[in-house]
Amino acid sequence: MKKVDFNSDWRFYTESQEISSLTLPHDAQLLEGRKADSPGGSGHGYYVGNVYTYEKKFDVPGDCKEKHIEILFEGAYRNTKVFLNGESLGEHKYGYTGFSFSMDEHLKYGEENVFKVVVDNSKLPNSRWYTGGGIYRPVSLWIGEKEHIKYEGVRVTTLSVDPAKVLVETEATGDDIEIEIIKDDVVVAQGSGRSSEIEIPDALLWSADTPNLYTAHVTLKKDGVLKDEVSETFGIRSLSWSPKGFFVNGKNTLLKGGCVHHDNGIVGAASYKESEWRRVRILKENGFNAIRVAHNPASTAMLEACDFYGMYVMDETFDMWYVRKTKYDYGLDFKANCKLDVASMVKRDFNHPSVIMYSIGNEVSEPGKPEGVKQGKEIISFIKEMDKSRAITGGMNLMIMSNFAKGKGQYDNVDKEENTVGKEEVSDAKNGSLLFNTIATFLGPSMNKAGNSKKVDALTTPILDALDIAGYNYANGRYPLEEKAHPNRIVVGSETFPYEIGKNWDMVEQFPYLIGDFMWTAWDYMGEAGLGAWSYTGGMPFNRPYPWKLGGAGVIDILGNPDSSCDYAKVVWRETKNPVIGVRPVNHPGVRVSKSIWRGTNAIPSWSWKACDGNKAEIDVFARADSVELFVNGSSLEKKKIKNYQALFKTKYEPGTIEAVAFDVSGKEIGRSSLSSAGESKVCILPEKESYTAGEVAYVNISIQDKNGIVESNADRKLSVEVEGGELLGFGSANPCTKDEFTDGSYTTYLGRAQAVVRIGENGAAKIKVHDGANVIEQNL
């Protein structure tokens, strides 16, 4: 069937506001703003919920009566009801899987038709993080003849890589099916029939290092007349796993992974193709070769980007099963809908070579009891019925399952709330996450040993052994034990503290059954306010009060800028040979910092702190070396031994240049790097591309920097942005605690940086203006 974009000219309204012409995708929750007393609390970043209604009028030509037409929603959050010409097409509960409906029975041919979509995100909390709301992923029509190839009806399976052979299976209403395998616009192999094994000569294999892609072009004919055609992108690659490792095309592969939430920073949850592709590209540039999509199925655009750039994906089903983690979450709908949503994910993922693992859930407590183990095994079996080629894992927290088995489940209060009648309700279901974060904060890294006991091992073994690969969340204490305790078990660090990457990666390289590490998180996100941020305003390092907005745990901020924790991982992964330098903010003299267990340092790669002369400066240096010497303006400060790939230096800030020189055990220099202070700085507009096309989403970085591009970290100011010939989709900074809103067009820079996201207008050109007080800076896009 032919895909037709169906994103433009929607009318949007709530009880209090209306937009007459809207282009999807769209995060409606951003428009609602934030309140200190939002029932979503810190988990939702203090955003409030609502019911959102979308309407679209469109004409259908009379000759379409003989066609088959479906509408596909790639994602809407959540509790979505769809109507066509006043008739219900159906509803969808989950906020993260695609869903489609046939329109054939309710269309008015040769007349105007009206779509109405109602998305109910009014009851909060319904998640542990910021979800966004409304139709936040793209919408499309799929149009074909009555004889057609079904949507997601072409499946390509790699049968072998030497020789390269694929199985192309087609689900269609007819049998006259022809297949062409195309590489770089050249037909390299052919086949026919509903199920066709095709050998591909001189094939180029897909992996993260060599992301070679092919196209399967499938046609359906009737009496020699073309009725339908589909092109599916795929990669030729094999997967296998054992206690000896994880193998892609027979090559042992270690996963340099990070967990990533679904929101796109200053545009909220809106899933623009450019946003998803940009994020994957930046992650790849910073050394990651794997993403755990936490804790829900990825967008299609993200998977397409992972296929293209070469990024392995652990795609995850749910954050909860039937035990709810917040009062109004998907746990209410899980048992009735879980198979539908698992099937949606697996069918969509099937042809994406980047997807190497499915996760059955994140930190679900249920497997601590037999009923939960049964539930887990049912999901595993259901997935294997659809796809036997990929490994099945789960982000399992051994401590949470153990506590649930002992009757001390951290989410038990949710059910108690629902049963409260005529009494004062207990505090809302934010307490589940709050309890876990409290435990994590006070236990610190020792939480990693909570699963080490024989009793916990016995309780968790039934579900862990049911998985192809056991995913451990915060349980690296078990890594060295599994060789003897469970010699047939394969393990992945499914969620870990970023500052433990050195320790964890040493074990990944030491133990063949430990196939990789996924830090929390690779990219910062909205909600779970202040979870990973170091604060200079006091308070507990989690559940921070309004106006905290961002999680603060990402080693890459919401604008796409890596911090020194990200550089630390690059050192550990051998992605750089030189030492890297990070400086903890020096612009808070005498203020005691409130630290978070999810962050080992808040350093950034900057030695530019205006008006901070003489302030205390703490400098992190990361290196694969025996020792490192730090120089300040040419004078040696100190030479230190490297421990766990890092050394911490203390001095007083003075403008100029700091330089780190790394040495091996013999005293030979093996690398050096430096940071310098900015000279006279000003606001600069820096589009990420030289040119754009109509409708394209442009990322425009706005920095306070000098003529050499050095950003000044201590000259933040409020800027305002306006766009001519385009649409401002969002403007903001990575400040985790601010009352500024991404939708207002005015925002205060953070550490010298801000960012605007602009949709280019119909004429293919736009202009952005930045107001810095009385000064106006302009840039054509």
Side-chain angles (χ1 to χ4, degrees), residues 426-611:
V426 299
S427 59
D428 69 24
K430 291 176 288 189
N431 284 345
S433 286
L434 181 60
L435 175 60
F436 176 74
N437 293 336
T438 304
I439 293 170
T441 297
F442 287 103
L443 288 181
S446 62
M447 183 174 68
N448 286 307
K449 299 179 182 179
N452 286 12
S453 73
K454 291 183 178 180
K455 188 173 183 179
V456 173
D457 185 25
L459 283 169
T460 57
T461 285
I463 190 62
L464 295 175
D465 282 354
L467 299 167
D468 294 319
I469 297 173
Y472 288 178
N473 282 19
Y474 309 107
N476 64 12
R478 283 215 60 88
Y479 295 169
L481 308 179
E482 303 304 32
E483 186 172 17
K484 291 184 178 179
H486 301 282
N488 295 319
R489 183 175 293 177
I490 312 163
V491 177
V492 64
S494 46
E495 191 168 315
T496 63
F497 296 118
Y499 63 86
E500 292 195 313
I501 185 61
K503 173 184 177 180
N504 289 339
W505 199 253
D506 284 349
M507 288 190 283
V508 168
E509 294 187 333
Q510 178 182 357
F511 303 121
Y513 53 84
L514 180 60
I515 65 169
D517 176 272
F518 289 82
M519 67 176 67
W520 188 266
T521 57
W523 196 282
D524 204 17
Y525 57 98
M526 298 170 65
E528 286 197 311
L531 171 79
W534 285 16
S535 171
Y536 294 92
T537 59
M540 295 294 288
F542 53 84
N543 196 40
R544 294 191 190 274
Y546 178 85
W548 281 86
K549 179 189 295 189
L550 308 181
V555 302
I556 299 175
D557 70 23
I558 63 166
L559 307 188
N561 300 302
D563 66 13
S564 297
S565 296
C566 186
D567 290 336
Y568 175 26
K570 290 169 70 174
V571 167
V572 171
W573 292 333
R574 298 180 177 85
E575 295 293 329
T576 179
K577 294 182 179 179
N578 291 318
V580 294
I581 307 171
V583 180
R584 303 180 185 185
V586 304
N587 54 348
H588 301 280
V591 179
R592 183 177 179 179
V593 62
S594 172
K595 298 182 178 181
S596 163
I597 188 63
W598 273 271
R599 180 170 289 281
T601 179
N602 64 344
I604 62 172
S606 173
W607 188 245
S608 192
W609 302 88
K610 185 178 180 180

Side-chain angles (χ1 to χ4, degrees), residues 674-741:
S674 63
L675 296 173
S676 296
S677 305
E680 184 177 350
S681 58
K682 63 180 181 179
V683 173
C684 295
I685 302 174
L686 305 164
E688 292 190 347
K689 290 177 60 178
E690 292 184 359
S691 62
Y692 297 92
T693 58
E696 188 174 357
V697 173
Y699 273 77
V700 183
N701 294 311
I702 300 168
S703 300
I704 302 168
Q705 63 182 52
D706 69 5
K707 63 181 181 180
N708 297 315
I710 299 175
V711 174
E712 172 53 58
S713 300
N714 195 42
D716 288 321
R717 64 200 72 168
K718 194 155 193 174
L719 304 175
S720 296
V721 168
E722 59 178 311
V723 173
E724 297 177 359
E727 179 185 359
L728 181 64
L729 299 175
F731 175 58
S733 74
N735 190 345
C737 182
T738 176
K739 291 182 179 180
D740 294 348
E741 294 295 344

Side-chain angles (χ1 to χ4, degrees), residues 370-384:
E371 181 187 358
V373 175
K374 180 182 177 182
Q375 178 67 73
K377 288 181 176 180
E378 287 178 358
I379 297 174
I380 292 168
S381 297
F382 185 59
I383 292 174
K384 286 186 178 293

Side-chain angles (χ1 to χ4, degrees), residues 217-293:
H217 181 242
V218 182
T219 59
L220 172 67
K221 295 181 180 179
K222 183 177 182 181
D223 299 327
V225 177
L226 179 66
K227 289 295 183 181
D228 200 2
E229 57 184 329
V230 170
S231 292
E232 281 287 337
T233 301
F234 71 96
I236 303 167
R237 60 106 179 92
S238 66
L239 302 175
S240 60
W241 49 91
S242 75
K244 294 182 179 180
F246 189 86
F247 300 88
V248 179
N249 303 325
K251 179 182 178 182
N252 193 11
T253 300
L254 304 181
L255 303 178
K256 298 178 285 189
C259 300
V260 175
H261 266 317
H262 74 293
D263 77 76
N264 281 305
I266 62 175
V267 295
S271 182
Y272 302 109
K273 176 182 176 180
E274 294 87 347
S275 304
E276 305 286 13
W277 279 62
R278 176 180 182 269
R279 175 162 52 186
V280 173
R281 172 180 56 79
I282 292 173
L283 287 166
K284 188 69 182 284
E285 291 170 351
N286 281 280
F288 292 89
N289 73 356
I291 291 172
R292 176 188 177 212
V293 188

Side-chain angles (χ1 to χ4, degrees), residues 77-78 94-96 125-129 131 292 295-296 316-335 338 341-342 359-367 375 379 395 411 414 433:
Y77 198 90
R78 81 177 194 94
Y94 196 31
Y96 298 108
N126 57 36
S127 173
R128 297 185 301 115
W129 60 86
T131 61
R292 176 188 177 212
H295 305 290
N296 45 260
E316 193 152 71
T317 51
F318 312 110
D319 185 48
M320 74 295 291
W321 289 352
Y322 50 82
V323 173
R324 282 164 287 141
K325 294 183 177 181
T326 58
K327 186 174 182 180
Y328 299 109
D329 68 28
Y330 177 75
L332 293 167
D333 311 300
F334 174 82
K335 288 195 173 182
C338 68
D341 292 312
V342 170
S359 167
I360 64 171
N362 172 66
E363 293 186 344
V364 288
S365 54
E366 291 91 331
Q375 178 67 73
I379 297 174
Y411 303 113
V414 181
S433 286

Side-chain angles (χ1 to χ4, degrees), residues 336-372:
N337 294 276
C338 68
K339 282 193 172 183
L340 172 72
D341 292 312
V342 170
S344 176
M345 181 188 77
V346 174
K347 289 178 181 178
R348 192 277 311 270
D349 290 5
F350 194 90
N351 290 334
H352 290 281
S354 56
V355 180
I356 60 171
M357 282 188 275
Y358 299 120
S359 167
I360 64 171
N362 172 66
E363 293 186 344
V364 288
S365 54
E366 291 91 331
K369 297 181 180 179
E371 181 187 358

